[in-house]
Amino acid sequence: MRKGVLHPTLLLQRLTKRRARIMGLDIGDRYVGIAVSDDGNRVANGLPTIQRKVERVEIPRRPGERRPLRNRKIETVRADLERLVRKYRVAAIVAGLPDYVDRRPSEQSKRTCRFVEEMAEGKGILSMIPVYWQHELYSSAVARDQLRERGFRDFEAKKELIDQMAACRILQSFLNKYGDGIGI
């Protein structure tokens, strides 16, 4: 993945003419929330999340406790993303950058940048796709609040859904800001 060089408005115009899509990512330590735009680049739609960490099944779980986590191989995560990029004809990626309110980089935004750099390594399709950064603040918290309003209570069990909703919010914000998105 390389830094986007076209102005986002021009990018959206060109991609819409080509019927290419944009992918939105909410990059967390355990999951990557994913959204993809429609063909007209107006509406963000959620896709299943990709796990970055999985439970260590070789360790027995004690009652009431979770198993320790282990990282999935970066090549596996990259292959999952590349499969989605091909399937949905993605030509650009928008990644959420969770900086502080005053735009200083947070620890999570540093980890997010490292993840994007790792995805760009190698010769795969991800190394050729431009990445645009979208400032995001509290996208997961807003998604959690939306689930709470809908009656959900067990948020740990809904973490994948929260990350998917956060990715939709990140991508939809980008589409609304630079295109003619219809809003959230």
Side-chain angles (χ1 to χ4, degrees):
M1 292 186 255
R2 55 188 172 83
K3 186 177 188 297
V5 291
L6 281 179
H7 188 276
T9 304
L10 185 57
L11 169 82
L12 283 169
Q13 290 170 355
R14 287 185 180 178
L15 294 184
T16 302
K17 284 180 185 174
R18 290 182 12 211
R19 310 293 285 172
R21 297 177 181 207
I22 300 174
M23 179 179 280
L25 301 178
D26 177 51
I27 301 164
D29 292 329
R30 188 169 179 186
Y31 298 104
V32 178
I34 302 173
V36 68
S37 65
D38 64 333
D39 284 339
N41 290 313
R42 293 174 171 244
V43 181
N45 301 293
L47 296 176
T49 59
I50 293 176
Q51 285 188 312
R52 291 183 63 193
K53 294 186 178 184
V54 293
E55 286 187 349
R56 295 183 63 181
V57 294
E58 68 276 9
I59 299 175
R61 190 175 75 187
R62 295 183 179 139
E65 290 184 8
R66 291 174 42 188
R67 289 185 174 116
L69 301 174
R70 67 170 172 79
N71 289 331
R72 286 179 71 207
K73 290 182 179 177
I74 196 72
E75 296 84 14
T76 307
V77 176
R78 185 183 302 121
D80 289 347
L81 274 174
E82 286 182 348
R83 181 181 48 78
L84 292 172
V85 163
R86 284 186 181 91
K87 179 178 180 179
Y88 291 99
R89 299 180 332 273
V90 171
I93 292 177
V94 175
L97 196 59
D99 289 339
Y100 291 118
V101 177
D102 63 1
R103 302 283 176 126
R104 285 180 300 121
S106 66
E107 285 304 311
Q108 185 61 41
S109 66
K110 292 174 186 173
R111 289 193 297 269
T112 296
C113 290
R114 275 195 303 273
F115 175 80
V116 168
E117 288 170 5
E118 288 174 350
M119 290 296 104
E121 291 175 359
K123 297 179 182 178
I125 194 169
L126 291 179
S127 64
M128 298 179 277
I129 293 182
V131 175
Y132 291 82
W133 296 100
Q134 175 68 30
H135 179 71
E136 61 138 324
L137 200 55
Y138 310 120
S139 60
S140 294
V142 170
R144 216 177 349 269
D145 289 344
Q146 289 173 337
L147 285 176
R148 186 177 291 119
E149 290 171 5
R150 295 177 187 172
F152 290 101
R153 295 289 174 247
D154 186 9
F155 295 116
E156 195 58 39
K158 302 293 181 206
K159 183 65 178 133
E160 292 180 54
L161 180 58
I162 290 169
D163 291 337
Q164 181 186 89
M165 292 171 67
C168 283
R169 186 170 189 78
I170 290 164
L171 180 55
Q172 192 66 57
S173 295
F174 182 86
L175 297 173
N176 290 348
K177 183 175 181 179
Y178 297 110
D180 56 353
I182 62 171
I184 304 175

